[in-house]
Amino acid sequence: MTQAENTPDTKIYQPSEAFVANAAVSGMAAYEALCAKAEADYEGYWADLARELISWKTPFTKTLNQAEAPFFKWFEDGTLNASYNCLDRNVERGLGDKTAIIFEADGGEVTKVSYSELLARTCRIANGLKSLGVGKGDRVVIYIAMSIDGVAAMQACARIGATHSVVFGGFSAQSLRDRIEDTGAKAVITADCQVRGGKKLPLKAIVDEALAMPGCEKIEKVLVVNRADAAVTMKDGRDVWMHELVASQPDTCEPEWVDAEHPLFLLYTSGSTGKPKGVQHCTGGYLLHAALTCKWTFDLKQDDVFWCTADIGWVTGHTYITYGPLALGGTEIVFEGVPTYPDAGRFWKMIQDHKVSIFYTAPTAIRSLIKAAESNDAVHPKSYDLSSLRLLGSVGEPINPAAWEWYYQHVGGSRCPIVDTFWQTETGGHMITPLPGATPMVPGSCTLPFPGIQFAVVDETGNELPWGKGGILVCKKPWPSMIRTIWGDPERFKKSYYPEDFKGQLYLAGDGAIRDAKTGYFTITGRIDDVLNVSGHRMGTMEIESALVSCTDLVAEAAVVGRPDETTGEAVCAFVVLKRPLPSGDEAKAIAKQLRDHVGREIGPIAKPKDIRFGENLPKTRSGKIMRRLLRSLAKGEAITQDTSTLENPAILGQLGQAY
């Protein structure tokens, strides 16, 4: 990597000549040529890529159908199978003995599985599911930790045409129940427990708790993987041990050939109204983008060892663990544990041990590891051999320039390009990102759209803004891996993503952005709706407010806003009015703890507010609207400059200034 070029305001980093020479997209001229091709013949551009990267059972003749926009269809008359594309075809082209997954457990134990072994394992689970009556079109909820079994279970669902919905293992029984009910799932795949940071954490017990609540009546079977012999209760007739089920199953299973629009998975994401949205992704277009972005953004080669640290419970784990790298016949790492156990050098040790060449993680993880490294040389990246790395990536939230620089220098040894990828659960794969052998990089900017993706920054009426002016981020054209609908709620899909304000013509990303006046590079400025991004996880303020207010014996009213946090990017700050006198000191601390634990039980530990502030009431306008702007200023500790003369009770500003 050549040295940074300094301009008055921005540092620009160029990829090295050696990287450019061997990259899948080599140099800016190649990037611009791809964009020009997409511009000149949009459908032809995507059709060519779909033929090149996907194996079709029945070739498609229709590329894009816009007749029922915004319910777009891509490659609709083509048939394929995602599992066949990820497993069988790699075995057929002679990669059967190649390592598909290197799994490292929390305690450091390493298991490797080849493509042939992963295919056999997937087929046995697929046959097991079929023997229990699960088939094409059925939904299966997967609630499991990072494991080979988790990836194989997703592949097995895809193999038989069942639609999987993975729920992150940190969600509570209530959140799991809500997702089971909404999907109408027939079966759940889980494990006795998960092991994180040396501790066994229950999974099966949480599934039992969820299924005991109303709304889960459609569940017929629960398949349980034995991870660590944790004590569990098995319900006769419903619960089955996975190892017993697959022991007698054949290790071949004919793939179910589905049309390109067949729902591959549902994944729930927070919206601004409180009820999570079931984002529906199709098979063909999604798989195309998963494979293509692995090829171009990560420049994935046959000898690479690719490590995405995300969990399969999030979209990043779907696209860049379960589907994308396997579709290209790559070798990848799946990691069960946490970055700080047994110490904060765990990531660097694993990169060293497994000779990782491409590393993809979240800014929150980087920021927490900077803190640890700066205070302890033993866990600093310089204490490890990271010379195998050739490319770094960042995902989940904008990366601040200081963390980018540290990542570049100390992890990448100032030689590895960093792909700062902007995308969403709804987009299926990268939308704005540098291409490592082409794009000059600017710390903190996700740079330019992926070839074929047409993004713009617009005002409230949908008119494109001049570069240098901040506005709303939109996508101007449909793309193959886009969300198809919100499961069971097409109206909400239209309202959320193709709003009337933009005449239903533009995809609304829900983020603000600005384009650099000179380069046209994009920088994401944060959400424009009531959704927070905490450690790369989206959470609706309404969802957390509802959880607080459901503590009915204690809470009268609650409002939630985000404030900047140097580790997690954003922190949850809750303002609470209690049904009893205003607490202070130890009593306030104890109530704050009680409320945090309650939110943890309702949604999951990730949603626990960092600050809880108590007041006799909340600041409202005369029409009764909560003055959230004022709350945001209070949360940040800013001086209040806006007009507060309309407040009934100005004393609350002092009350709400105290955080517990």
Side-chain angles (χ1 to χ4, degrees), residues 54-193:
I54 303 286
S55 298
W56 297 90
K57 182 73 173 170
T58 319
F60 60 90
T61 62
K62 296 178 191 164
T63 302
L64 171 60
N65 175 349
Q66 308 191 59
E68 291 169 40
F71 299 97
F72 301 102
K73 292 177 179 161
W74 285 88
F75 321 120
E76 61 185 304
D77 59 345
T79 63
L80 74 163
N81 181 281
S83 170
Y84 172 86
N85 271 274
C86 293
L87 303 173
D88 310 59
R89 76 168 173 171
N90 287 313
V91 174
E92 287 164 11
R93 58 191 185 120
L95 299 178
D97 293 338
K98 182 179 179 179
T99 301
I101 295 176
I102 303 168
F103 172 68
E104 181 163 318
D106 183 72
E109 307 81 6
V110 174
T111 313
K112 294 184 177 179
V113 290
S114 68
Y115 272 93
S116 297
E117 288 165 338
L118 186 57
L119 172 60
R121 196 158 175 165
T122 297
C123 287
R124 285 195 290 274
I125 299 174
N127 288 324
L129 284 165
K130 280 195 327 198
S131 74
L132 300 174
V134 177
K136 184 177 174 183
D138 289 328
R139 275 82 58 207
V140 176
V141 165
I142 300 176
Y143 184 67
I144 200 164
M146 289 293 287
S147 55
I148 299 167
D149 288 306
V151 173
M154 293 163 81
Q155 288 281 352
C157 291
R159 196 163 193 89
I160 61 174
T163 301
H164 58 70
S165 184
V166 185
V167 178
F168 171 60
F171 275 128
S172 67
Q174 182 65 48
S175 296
L176 177 61
R177 185 220 76 90
D178 294 348
R179 286 155 177 74
I180 290 172
E181 179 181 49
D182 196 67
T183 57
K186 196 169 188 178
V188 175
I189 298 177
T190 187
D192 55 343
C193 65

Side-chain angles (χ1 to χ4, degrees), residues 106-302:
D106 183 72
E109 307 81 6
V110 174
T111 313
K112 294 184 177 179
V113 290
S114 68
Y115 272 93
S116 297
E117 288 165 338
L118 186 57
L119 172 60
R121 196 158 175 165
T122 297
C123 287
R124 285 195 290 274
I125 299 174
N127 288 324
L129 284 165
K130 280 195 327 198
S131 74
L132 300 174
V134 177
K136 184 177 174 183
D138 289 328
R139 275 82 58 207
V140 176
V141 165
I142 300 176
Y143 184 67
I144 200 164
M146 289 293 287
S147 55
I148 299 167
D149 288 306
V151 173
M154 293 163 81
Q155 288 281 352
C157 291
R159 196 163 193 89
I160 61 174
T163 301
H164 58 70
S165 184
V166 185
V167 178
F168 171 60
F171 275 128
S172 67
Q174 182 65 48
S175 296
L176 177 61
R177 185 220 76 90
D178 294 348
R179 286 155 177 74
I180 290 172
E181 179 181 49
D182 196 67
T183 57
K186 196 169 188 178
V188 175
I189 298 177
T190 187
D192 55 343
C193 65
Q194 53 181 331
V195 184
R196 287 173 73 83
K199 297 188 190 75
K200 287 186 189 176
L201 304 166
L203 286 173
K204 169 69 167 62
I206 296 172
V207 171
D208 291 342
E209 191 184 334
L211 295 185
M213 301 177 193
C216 302
E217 292 74 18
K218 289 188 175 153
I219 293 288
E220 294 172 14
K221 294 290 177 190
V222 177
L223 282 66
V224 188
V225 171
N226 181 1
R227 163 65 186 90
D229 294 324
V232 294
T233 311
M234 298 292 279
K235 184 174 172 183
D236 277 352
R238 183 192 75 183
D239 301 351
V240 184
W241 283 107
M242 180 73 88
H243 59 272
E244 290 176 4
L245 175 70
V246 300
S248 57
Q249 297 296 338
D251 51 16
T252 57
C253 171
E254 178 63 20
E256 180 73 45
W257 303 103
V258 297
D259 65 77
E261 283 296 314
H262 179 76
L264 178 63
F265 64 90
L266 307 173
L267 196 52
Y268 285 78
T269 183
S270 289
S272 50
T273 62
K275 184 177 179 278
K277 299 183 282 201
V279 171
Q280 180 178 321
H281 274 292
C282 74
T283 304
Y286 168 81
L287 194 64
L288 165 63
H289 206 58
L292 181 65
T293 48
C294 279
K295 186 175 174 177
W296 287 356
T297 313
F298 294 126
D299 194 47
L300 189 69
K301 309 271 194 254
Q302 284 302 307

Side-chain angles (χ1 to χ4, degrees), residues 547-558:
L548 286 161
V549 175
S550 70
C551 199
T552 48
D553 51 336
L554 203 53
V555 176
E557 199 172 17

